[in-house]
């Protein structure tokens, strides 16, 4: 059969060769398959964390960061995951509050605007003179606070003095209408840490002014401070400026190349001088792709009061496209090339220190897609991995075929060629047999 069908000897190795090149993901990736690498060290056996460097984004071949792998010292793959760094919780510092004694004429008297001296912003300056019993109530001014407090910390009497007193809280937004916080609260100190109570909960709603009524008159406050709930800081982001180039001779289009698949959060096109231009923003992932519409905005810049510069601000986006185009959409063209400021999210690599270290972070081979590995783990017990030297990048000799590229077409071409050869061979054999019978 082999002797009578020499075309099969040519077709079989050809299909094996192309099949191996078209589907490299069928074999396990190796470190030498990737263009970029960075050696990491850390404690073996545990979870290690490492912030993704900017060099990695500039060397990726896939926008989904699927062409990333981690190898141990023996070249074996290591389980890992990639995640965006989380925001942090911040405890705002306490703020000491001014307070004024309120000498009540009777048990139900409350302050009014006629009793209080305030400035134009509503800040309490003083309380007008009053006669009556010794003060057992104190007026608090919260008007200068930028954030509403969650509670009050109150210290009463002399330092170290033992006390136990009930407190009623009234709140007002305008010194005209007061509402009572119905919850009964106690302030106490029994001489030892952890045996007293120094915090007061606050009523919901707008609490610009507070009135604290104590059941005793011999415990003047030493200090009253506002305490605030934790503030969730947004995840960290990094930024850099990108230079643009004119495209065309009419100064209506500018193109930018970020140089990599950055996980963008905002993109901004600041003007260098006073101007206002309506523009269309487009982007694309590869140089041969069609431009895709991203947004239509009005870019502007002008001088405000007190030397302030008013600008159009940044555009929020989650696109990872490296190519961006800005085109003037109205009658006016750009007077100069707008800048381009990108801000991207900070991602971190979380991998298992399996096998023998050091470990190598590798990237830059679009033939390999995302791989499942390390499941999402709790934040406890994760140590920092440390880089050993700088990252290395060696461009690969053969660029990875893009999804939907030439690979499937080549395979279909091989199959059609094989079908044509076999059909011709069958016709030749049938013709030869017919001649033999004659």
């Amino acid at each position: 059969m082999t002797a009578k069908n020499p075309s099969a000897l040519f077709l079989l190795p050809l299909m094996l060769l192309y099949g191996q090149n078209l589907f490299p993901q069928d074999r396990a990736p190796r470190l030498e398959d990737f263009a970029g690498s960075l050696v990491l060290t850390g404690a073996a056996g545990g979870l290690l964390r490492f912030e993704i460097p900017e060099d990695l984004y500039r060397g990726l071949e896939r926008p989904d960061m699927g062409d990333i792998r981690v190898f141990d010292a023996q070249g074996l793959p290591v389980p890992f995951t990639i995640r965006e760094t989380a925001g942090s919780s911040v405890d705002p510092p306490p703020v000491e509050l001014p307070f004024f004694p309120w000498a009540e004429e009777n048990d139900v008297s409350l302050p009014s605007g006629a009793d209080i001296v305030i400035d134009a912003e509503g800040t309490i300056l003083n309380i007008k003179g009053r006669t009556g019993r010794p003060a057992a109530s104190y007026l608090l001014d919260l008007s200068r606070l930028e954030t509403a407090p969650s509670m009050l910390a109150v210290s009463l009497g002399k330092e170290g003095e033992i006390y136990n007193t009930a407190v009623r809280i009234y709140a007002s937004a305008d010194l005209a209408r007061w509402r009572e916080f119905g919850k009964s609260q106690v302030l106490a100190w029994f001489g030892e840490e952890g045996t007293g109570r120094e915090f007061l909960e606050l009523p919901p709603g707008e609490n610009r002014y507070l009135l604290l009524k104590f059941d005793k008159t011999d415990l003047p406050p030493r200090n009253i401070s506002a305490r605030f709930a934790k503030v969730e800081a947004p995840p960290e982001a990094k930024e850099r400026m990108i230079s643009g180039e004119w495209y065309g001779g009419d100064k209506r289009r500018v193109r930018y190349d970020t140089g990599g698949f950055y996980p963008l959060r905002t993109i901004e096109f600041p003007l260098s001088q006073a101007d206002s231009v309506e523009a269309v923003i487009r982007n694309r992932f590869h140089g041969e792709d069609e431009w895709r519409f991203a947004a239509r905005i009005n870019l502007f810049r002008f001088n405000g009061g007190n030397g302030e510069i008013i600008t159009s601000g940044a555009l929020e986006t989650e696109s990872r496209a490296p190519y961006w185009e800005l085109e003037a959409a109205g009658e006016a063209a750009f007077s100069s090339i707008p800048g381009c400021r990108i801000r991207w999210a900070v991602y971190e690599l979380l991998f298992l220190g399996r096998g023998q270290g050091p470990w190598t972070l590798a990237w830059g081979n679009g033939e390999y897609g995302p791989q499942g590995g390390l499941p999402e783990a709790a934040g406890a017990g994760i140590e920092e991995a440390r880089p050993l030297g700088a990252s290395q990048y060696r461009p690969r000799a053969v660029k990875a075929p893009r999804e939907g590229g030439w690979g499937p077409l080549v395979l279909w071409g091989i199959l059609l060629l094989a079908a044509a050869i076999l059909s011709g061979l069958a016709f030749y054999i049938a013709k030869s047999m017919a001649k033999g019978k004659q």
Side-chain angles (χ1 to χ4, degrees):
M1 174 180 176
T2 303
K4 294 182 179 181
N5 190 9
S7 60
L9 295 177
F10 166 77
L11 186 60
L12 181 59
L14 183 64
M15 295 184 66
L16 291 176
L17 176 62
Y18 274 94
Q20 183 178 8
N21 290 334
L22 289 174
F23 303 103
Q25 63 270 26
D26 289 342
R27 67 168 176 81
R30 298 166 298 185
L31 178 58
E32 56 268 24
D33 294 331
F34 297 87
S37 63
L38 177 62
V39 180
L40 304 174
T41 184
L47 294 178
L48 297 171
R49 174 195 293 120
F50 182 70
E51 181 181 308
I52 299 294
E54 183 180 356
D55 290 348
L56 185 143
Y57 299 124
R58 303 178 68 85
L60 290 175
E61 294 183 9
R62 296 178 60 100
D64 60 1
M65 295 194 293
D67 52 327
I68 293 179
R69 295 294 186 273
V70 180
F71 299 93
D72 64 10
Q74 307 300 321
L76 300 177
V78 172
F80 72 95
T81 188
I82 297 174
R83 64 184 185 184
E84 185 175 356
T85 55
S88 58
S89 297
V90 179
D91 284 313
V95 176
E96 187 172 346
L97 297 174
F99 57 90
F100 305 86
W102 171 255
E104 300 176 296
E105 294 180 349
N106 53 65
D107 290 337
V108 295
S109 64
L110 294 170
S112 66
D115 303 314
I116 312 299
V117 179
I118 61 175
D119 62 13
E121 297 178 353
T123 303
I124 296 177
L125 301 178
N126 198 2
I127 295 180
K128 298 177 181 180
R130 294 180 58 89
T131 60
R133 298 178 300 175
S137 301
Y138 294 87
L139 185 63
L140 277 67
D141 185 358
L142 281 63
S143 61
R144 290 188 178 275
L145 297 180
E146 296 181 358
T147 305
S150 59
M151 63 179 63
L152 297 179
V154 183
S155 300
L156 300 178
K158 298 178 181 179
E159 187 75 32
E161 182 179 0
I162 295 176
Y163 58 85
N164 185 4
T165 181
V167 185
R168 287 180 294 166
I169 300 180
Y170 295 81
S172 174
D174 54 8
L175 292 175
R177 295 175 298 274
W178 292 86
R179 64 186 189 280
E180 181 179 2
F181 188 30
K183 186 173 182 178
S184 177
Q185 300 188 68
V186 173
L187 291 174
W189 175 254
F190 300 108
E192 295 183 7
E193 192 70 30
T195 61
R197 174 181 170 85
E198 62 173 337
F199 295 104
L200 294 176
E201 296 182 35
L202 297 180
E206 185 178 355
N207 303 320
R208 191 171 188 182
Y209 307 100
L210 297 176
L211 183 69
L212 306 184
K213 285 192 174 188
F214 301 96
D215 63 353
K216 296 180 181 180
T217 61
D218 57 347
L219 292 171
R222 295 196 319 272
N223 178 276
I224 301 178
S225 61
R227 302 297 176 93
F228 304 90
K230 288 182 178 292
V231 176
E232 297 296 327
E236 183 184 2
K238 296 188 176 182
E239 68 176 45
R240 70 189 300 258
M241 290 293 297
I242 308 296
S243 299
E245 295 181 352
W246 292 118
Y247 183 78
D250 53 1
K251 293 188 177 182
R252 300 186 63 86
R253 279 191 291 178
V254 185
R255 290 185 176 179
Y256 308 85
D257 181 4
T258 67
F261 294 114
Y262 290 88
L264 299 181
R265 289 297 173 264
T266 64
I267 185 168
E268 183 179 2
F269 300 96
L271 302 176
S272 60
Q273 55 189 2
D275 205 348
S276 178
V277 182
E278 188 176 5
V280 173
I281 302 174
R282 303 182 184 90
N283 60 33
R284 62 186 182 186
F285 284 89
H286 302 90
E288 64 273 18
D289 293 345
E290 294 291 333
W291 289 100
R292 301 185 303 173
F293 175 83
R296 187 184 185 99
I297 62 173
N298 186 18
L299 300 178
F300 58 85
R301 173 188 171 127
F302 58 88
N303 297 328
N306 301 323
E308 183 182 7
I309 297 178
I310 310 299
T311 64
S312 48
L315 175 70
E316 294 186 359
T317 181
E318 292 190 356
S319 175
R320 302 193 179 198
Y323 301 103
W324 293 80
E325 181 183 74
L326 197 62
E327 181 179 6
E331 296 180 359
F334 297 109
S335 58
S336 60
I337 295 180
C340 178
R341 180 183 293 109
I342 60 172
R343 298 181 75 249
W344 67 91
V346 177
Y347 277 75
E348 63 181 3
L349 171 77
L350 188 66
F351 67 96
L352 179 61
R354 190 181 69 179
Q356 181 180 353
W359 298 269
T360 302
L361 169 62
W363 64 90
N365 189 334
E367 296 174 354
Y368 295 99
Q371 292 290 319
L374 191 66
E376 187 69 20
I382 302 178
E383 298 187 15
E384 295 288 338
R386 303 180 304 278
L388 294 179
S391 61
Q392 305 293 325
Y393 188 84
R394 299 176 300 276
R396 299 190 308 122
V398 180
K399 276 290 183 182
R402 289 173 40 212
E403 184 177 352
W406 292 102
L409 297 179
V410 174
L411 179 60
W412 278 106
I414 294 174
L415 295 177
L416 292 175
L417 177 62
I421 293 176
L422 293 176
S423 298
L425 184 61
F427 177 78
Y428 174 78
I429 295 175
K431 187 175 181 181
S432 299
M433 292 178 63
K435 288 182 178 181
K437 289 182 180 180
Q438 292 175 1

